[in-house]
């Protein structure tokens, strides 16, 4: 919460950078990208050099290499210098290929910034509430109110499965699975093809973060580290 980013190399800290406000999100691909509470986005290279831009004044809620989503519902594309409102609530998911895919509290949408602005750039609009989302080909997976919703963008067919109660506190996706952490310490693991799922109680407090390698790992709000075998392996 001190707004400090430390760059490490060979397990040693080599330099630190003071951000304009607290860190809210980060992404690491070609370089380290950090989003902040005041809406500023920072890019850090392997050298001492770093750049930053502020195109929206609300907190960064999701982040890619050159695109940020904000609590205000605004998306900023730093490559094309486009700023536009995508959702009424905060942006919860971003993906960029030739077009930008996003999910928010009101809908799942896609925007093609190559199209003339006056003709409209929104090329997909699915009225689907989403706290967190994931796209695989033509299938969209979203979690909201304890329900897993799966929608096909070609047929508009929708399927819903009740996983748990409340909103997911954390989540992550692999090419074949989704994992959600809940406020009561339960972890849900579901298969993206069959939609089979398992619920495993891990702790009495919320699961704050999740990742998947050979096992499913996470951290609870109580500081307890969790590790469980993948039930589908």
């Amino acid at each position: 919460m001190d707004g400090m980013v430390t760059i490490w190399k060979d397990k040693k800290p080599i330099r630190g950078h003071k951000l304009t406000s607290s860190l809210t999100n980060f992404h690491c691909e070609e370089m380290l990208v950090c989003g902040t509470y005041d809406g500023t986005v920072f890019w850090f290279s392997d050298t001492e050099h770093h750049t930053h831009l502020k195109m929206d004044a609300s907190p960064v809620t999701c982040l890619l290499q050159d695109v940020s989503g904000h609590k205000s519902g605004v998306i900023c594309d730093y490559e094309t210098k486009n700023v536009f409102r995508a959702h009424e609530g905060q942006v919860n998911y971003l993906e960029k290929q030739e077009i930008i895919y996003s999910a928010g509290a009101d809908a799942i949408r896609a925007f093609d910034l190559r199209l003339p602005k006056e003709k409209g750039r929104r090329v997909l609009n699915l009225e689907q509430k989403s706290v967190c989302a994931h796209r695989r080909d033509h299938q969209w997976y979203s979690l909201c109110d304890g329900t897993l919703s799966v929608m096909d963008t070609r047929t508009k067919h929708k399927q819903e499965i009740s996983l748990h109660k409340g909103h997911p506190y954390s989540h992550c996706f692999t090419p074949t699975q989704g994992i959600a952490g809940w406020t009561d310490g339960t972890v849900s693991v579901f298969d993206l093809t069959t939609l089979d799922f398992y619920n495993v109680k891990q702790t009495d407090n919320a699961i704050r973060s999740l990742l998947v390698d050979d096992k499913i790992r996470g951290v609870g709000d109580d500081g307890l580290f969790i590790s469980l075998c993948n039930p589908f392996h």
Side-chain angles (χ1 to χ4, degrees):
M1 299 295 288
D2 60 0
M4 195 73 180
V5 172
T6 303
I7 309 298
W8 295 67
K9 185 175 182 180
D10 298 327
K11 300 181 180 181
K12 296 180 180 179
I14 56 175
R15 64 183 182 276
H17 295 277
K18 183 71 173 178
L19 304 181
T20 53
S21 67
S22 301
L23 179 73
T24 61
N25 217 308
F26 72 92
H27 178 83
C28 191
E29 193 174 325
E30 297 173 7
M31 62 177 66
L32 175 64
V33 188
C34 297
T36 64
Y37 191 80
D38 71 358
T40 306
V41 175
F42 289 78
W43 290 264
F44 297 96
S45 67
D46 290 335
T47 65
E48 291 286 339
H49 180 68
H50 76 275
T51 58
H52 66 275
L53 284 172
K54 184 176 182 177
M55 296 172 67
D56 186 74
S58 67
V60 177
T61 54
C62 48
L63 191 61
L64 299 176
Q65 192 69 34
D66 57 3
V67 185
S68 61
H70 294 256
K71 189 174 183 178
S72 61
V74 164
I75 291 177
C76 302
D77 187 303
Y78 300 94
E79 181 181 13
T80 62
K81 300 297 188 291
N82 275 286
V83 179
F84 58 96
R85 180 168 298 281
H87 300 280
E88 291 304 315
Q90 74 176 35
V91 183
N92 294 322
Y93 172 87
L94 273 179
E95 179 185 340
K96 182 180 180 182
Q97 297 181 2
E98 291 185 345
I99 61 179
I100 294 174
Y101 297 92
S102 68
D106 54 349
I108 291 170
R109 294 181 173 134
F111 302 87
D112 190 341
L113 301 186
R114 299 168 298 180
L115 298 175
K117 187 175 181 180
E118 61 273 12
K119 292 186 177 180
R121 292 171 166 176
R122 192 168 73 187
V123 295
L124 175 69
N125 183 55
L126 300 176
E127 297 297 329
Q128 173 60 56
K129 293 182 179 180
S130 177
V131 173
C132 57
H134 175 70
R135 187 181 73 90
R136 187 174 72 162
D137 298 325
H138 298 282
Q139 299 279 358
W140 274 93
Y141 302 83
S142 63
L143 285 165
C144 187
D145 297 324
T147 300
L148 169 65
S149 299
V150 185
M151 181 177 287
D152 192 303
T153 57
R154 297 167 298 182
T155 65
K156 300 299 188 292
H157 174 72
K158 183 178 179 180
Q159 186 175 357
E160 293 187 341
I161 296 174
S162 178
L163 290 182
H164 202 60
K165 295 180 180 179
H167 290 311
Y169 200 68
S170 57
H171 69 279
C172 66
F173 287 89
T174 75
T176 60
Q177 293 179 330
I179 300 97
W182 307 91
T183 54
D184 68 349
T186 298
V187 175
S188 296
V189 186
F190 50 94
D191 187 283
L192 297 183
T193 302
T194 66
L195 301 186
D196 292 335
F197 70 93
Y198 293 89
N199 284 336
V200 184
K201 178 77 170 179
Q202 287 293 297
T203 179
D204 292 328
N205 293 279
I207 305 296
R208 177 166 290 278
S209 61
L210 287 165
L211 63 86
V212 180
D213 43 33
D214 58 324
K215 293 185 177 181
I216 298 169
R217 307 178 194 276
V219 177
D221 259 357
D222 52 5
L224 183 67
F225 177 79
I226 66 169
S227 177
L228 64 148
C229 295
N230 194 320
F232 290 106
H233 291 175

